[in-house]
């Protein structure tokens, strides 16, 4: 069972480090408001994974993954939220043009924890991932529910460690990111990336 568990953890680790909407959301919050906001956003994302994990274990995520209507509703809601965050970042970049190097950037609107939670919960691909891939990785020595719960917990921990480390890395270069020109550029980049991810989510199929 140990070998299967290590194999599953390796697969989850690879999937965790692949850039996606979560990383874009974390980048936006960490660069705009500092590492504390970034870590709170990571906390919200991790909580979202645990919510999906509970839904998966009780079977509700499987219903969502199998229902085209439910999938479409969650997909479009998530896409709209990502596009909203992207537009918000682009608006912030325009306002940032007038700031001097001594001016602190305006704090992003809304709770960072809630931002991370909502962006993750409204990502229907997590439901498909958990119900489609995790059962194939579950250690055979455990019951299906216990195996799935363990893998969800491992994935949540890997995500928190990876994104948390990423936030702290951004904090090391805080002086660079505090420059008005760099802040504006990062807002524009993350804004475009978030809108792109939103459109990609809207176009995906279950």
């Amino acid at each position: 069972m140990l070998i299967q568990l290590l194999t599953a953890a390796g697969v989850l680790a690879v999937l965790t480090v692949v850039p996606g909407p979560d990383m874009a959301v974390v980048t936006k919050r960490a660069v705009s408001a500092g590492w504390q906001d970034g870590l709170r956003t990571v906390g919200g994302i991790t909580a979202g994974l645990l919510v999906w994990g509970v839904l998966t274990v009780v079977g509700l995520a499987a219903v969502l993954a199998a229902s085209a209507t439910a999938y479409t509703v969650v997909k479009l809601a998530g896409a709209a939220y990502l596009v909203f965050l992207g537009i918000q970042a682009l608006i912030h970049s325009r306002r940032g043009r007038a700031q001097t190097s001594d001016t602190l950037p305006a704090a992003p609107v809304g709770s960072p924890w809630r931002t991370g939670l909502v962006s993750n919960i409204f990502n229907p691909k997590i439901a498909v991932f958990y119900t489609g891939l995790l059962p194939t990785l579950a250690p055979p020595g455990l019951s299906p529910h216990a195996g799935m719960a363990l893998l969800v917990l491992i994935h949540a921990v890997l995500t928190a460690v990876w994104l948390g480390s990423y936030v702290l890395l951004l904090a090391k270069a805080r002086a660079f990111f505090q420059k008005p020109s760099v802040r504006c550029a990062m807002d524009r980049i993350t804004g475009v990336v978030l809108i792109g991810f939103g459109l990609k989510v809207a176009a995906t199929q279950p």
Side-chain angles (χ1 to χ4, degrees):
M1 184 179 74
L2 179 60
I3 294 178
Q4 291 90 341
L5 188 59
L6 292 176
T7 300
V11 173
L12 291 174
V14 171
L15 294 174
T16 298
V17 300
V18 174
D22 287 344
M23 181 171 282
V25 170
V26 168
T27 301
K28 176 181 179 296
R29 297 295 309 208
V31 170
S32 299
W35 65 270
Q36 294 95 335
D37 256 30
L39 290 181
R40 293 187 186 102
T41 306
V42 173
I45 290 170
T46 304
L49 291 176
L50 295 177
V51 170
W52 276 118
V54 171
L55 294 177
T56 300
V57 171
V58 300
L60 294 180
V63 174
L64 173 62
S67 170
T69 300
Y71 182 91
T72 299
V73 170
V74 174
K75 176 184 72 173
L76 294 179
Y81 187 67
L82 290 174
V83 170
F84 166 75
L85 292 177
I87 293 174
Q88 188 180 70
L90 292 177
I91 293 174
H92 186 263
S93 73
R94 292 178 61 87
R95 293 174 178 171
R97 290 179 183 177
Q99 293 177 336
T100 65
S101 58
D102 297 326
T103 304
L104 293 175
V109 177
S111 162
W113 190 89
R114 185 174 62 246
T115 297
L117 177 68
V118 173
S119 66
N120 189 269
I121 284 181
F122 281 110
N123 183 358
K125 281 298 182 182
I126 300 296
V128 177
F129 167 62
Y130 275 8
T131 58
L133 180 61
L134 287 193
T136 68
L137 299 175
L142 299 174
S143 68
H145 284 178
M148 292 281 288
L150 178 59
L151 292 182
V152 168
L153 182 60
I154 290 174
H155 186 221
V157 171
L158 289 173
T159 299
V161 171
W162 167 247
L163 291 180
S165 300
Y166 173 66
V167 167
L168 296 180
L169 181 62
L170 290 177
K172 294 291 184 181
R174 184 178 182 182
F176 173 75
F177 288 114
Q178 286 293 344
K179 296 178 180 179
S181 59
V182 176
R183 289 204 306 264
C184 288
M186 287 299 298
D187 279 335
R188 290 172 185 170
I189 292 171
T190 55
V192 171
V193 169
L194 285 167
I195 291 173
F197 276 127
L199 296 177
K200 181 180 179 180
V201 168
T204 56
Q205 299 298 321

